[in-house]
Amino acid sequence: MPDGGDNVLDVRGLKTVFRTRGGEVHAVNSVSFHLKRGEVLGVVGESGSGKSVTMMSLLRLLPSPPAEIREGQVMLGGQDLLKISPQALRDVRGAKVGFVFQDPMTSLNPVFTVGNQIMEPLMRHKGMTRTQARQRAADLLELVGISDAANRLNSYPHQYSGGMRQRVMIAIALSCDPDVLIADEPTTALDVTIQAQILELVKGLRQKLGMGVIWITHDLGVIAGIADRVMVMYAGQVVEHGPVRDLFGNPQHPYTRALLKTIPSLTGKRAARLQVIEGQPPIMLSAPNACPFRARCAHAMPVCATQNPPRHAMDGVTLGQGHDVACHWTPEAADA
């Protein structure tokens, strides 16, 4: 667990919209969070909840148009990444923030060797010679568990298995010793054995390198095994956030509770039917002025249709430091 050191990343009030023929889609709505050195922040939610768009907005990776970052602040090393020049941002990408995408075959260039693709950021950001970069690339492949690394540098992406390609993507993301590693569902397409190996690899590297990790997934089992804190997203906003043990043991938002009930349980008894969350996430064609989960919520009250609940801290802890939730419902409110 992190020891409470300074934040390496601080995001405040991030808003991102997409301009479409049907109107503006409000994909990210006033998202705020922080990341400490050496910790793992898990980001969970259904497909379309805004997880990936939020993280790509941090590095301005979304095509513009149609995407537009309307508001917010993304502080990294004293710089606001939303305000620095494109050239300065290119220096941040890879050097200070590594990004691992979900499908390595769409991220790796099929016509260049794996070695060349690992060496490129080393020569660009670290000023290494080709010989130095090649040696470092071999060391990185060994670090991520690929044997015979010096020879495998000459291979092309299609000559690697899915798990090995994902390891290559992690090696590229780690090549310049970044302060932050963002992993966008990097194990979704892998079998459970390879997935477990990748998770152990990232946990080991987090401890060895002291970097902060943001792990995006829809798999709550993965989050339970790797994260220190969890951020639950729905309709482009954070609905609950807290330490992993607190959030799993005492979920407060009806959406978080519903997500946890969809996890299969292996108790030795006859398996119960898996629960589902009825309905569909909303299409956010306007800024949220009411609770976006109300149509699917068993605890919806009249106030949910007129006010979008702000995040508030649980147990008097400072907002963002402990367990907080964005919900009008409480047992006392229900009784009233």
Side-chain angles (χ1 to χ4, degrees), residues 56 135 265 277:
M56 293 180 75
Q135 180 57 55
S265 176
I277 306 174

Side-chain angles (χ1 to χ4, degrees), residues 3-271:
D3 59 7
D6 294 336
N7 295 343
V8 65
L9 180 69
D10 200 348
V11 179
R12 302 173 188 173
L14 183 65
K15 294 184 180 180
T16 302
V17 301
F18 286 91
R19 295 176 178 174
T20 70
R21 291 181 179 179
E24 287 188 345
V25 176
H26 294 254
V28 181
N29 299 299
S30 298
V31 169
S32 299
F33 66 92
H34 67 275
L35 180 70
K36 295 183 182 296
R37 294 186 185 277
E39 78 167 342
V40 178
L41 172 66
V43 183
V44 301
E46 293 171 281
S47 297
S49 61
K51 307 184 299 296
S52 298
V53 174
T54 296
M55 300 310 157
M56 293 180 75
S57 296
L58 304 185
L59 296 176
R60 288 151 53 185
L61 290 171
L62 298 168
S64 179
E68 179 187 346
I69 300 174
R70 285 275 171 84
E71 296 179 22
Q73 192 177 55
V74 180
M75 299 303 298
L76 176 77
Q79 291 180 304
D80 186 349
L81 301 188
L82 301 185
K83 293 182 179 179
I84 61 177
S85 68
Q87 176 61 44
L89 187 60
R90 282 193 290 271
D91 291 337
V92 169
R93 295 171 183 162
K96 294 183 179 179
V97 181
F99 209 118
V100 182
F101 294 94
Q102 181 173 348
D103 185 359
M105 278 307 287
T106 61
S107 304
L108 293 171
N109 193 318
V111 302
F112 289 102
T113 65
V114 164
N116 279 331
Q117 296 183 66
I118 302 176
M119 291 160 59
E120 180 186 5
L122 291 168
M123 292 186 289
R124 172 183 173 81
H125 296 298
K126 294 289 190 181
M128 292 184 179
T129 66
R130 190 168 184 82
T131 301
Q132 291 171 330
R134 186 173 180 84
Q135 180 57 55
R136 174 63 173 155
D139 293 341
L140 285 164
L141 284 188
E142 290 182 359
L143 182 67
V144 298
I146 294 179
S147 58
D148 194 22
N151 291 325
R152 294 310 302 268
L153 289 174
N154 299 319
S155 299
Y156 290 85
H158 73 271
Q159 294 174 299
Y160 281 71
S161 67
M164 291 175 70
R165 286 194 293 266
Q166 200 58 275
R167 289 169 187 262
V168 169
M169 286 301 303
I170 293 173
I172 294 173
L174 296 176
S175 60
C176 296
D177 301 321
D179 296 322
V180 177
L181 175 69
I182 301 175
D184 188 359
E185 304 205 41
T187 61
T188 298
L190 306 179
D191 65 62
V192 292
T193 302
I194 301 300
Q195 183 182 78
Q197 293 174 359
I198 296 290
L199 292 174
E200 287 301 316
L201 169 66
V202 171
K203 285 194 287 186
L205 293 174
R206 176 271 295 259
Q207 294 173 352
K208 182 176 181 179
L209 302 177
M211 64 185 175
V213 179
I214 298 175
W215 193 277
I216 307 167
T217 185
H218 62 273
D219 190 332
L220 290 168
V222 168
I223 290 299
I226 195 174
D228 299 305
R229 288 185 295 118
V230 190
M231 188 168 78
V232 182
M233 294 194 66
Y234 185 81
Q237 60 192 55
V238 180
V239 296
E240 189 163 2
H241 155 266
V244 65
R245 289 181 179 273
D246 290 355
L247 191 137
F248 276 63
N250 187 28
Q252 295 296 309
H253 198 281
Y255 179 61
T256 308
R257 295 182 180 185
L259 282 180
L260 290 171
K261 288 179 181 179
T262 64
I263 302 175
S265 176
L266 300 176
T267 61
K269 301 177 182 179
R270 183 176 179 180

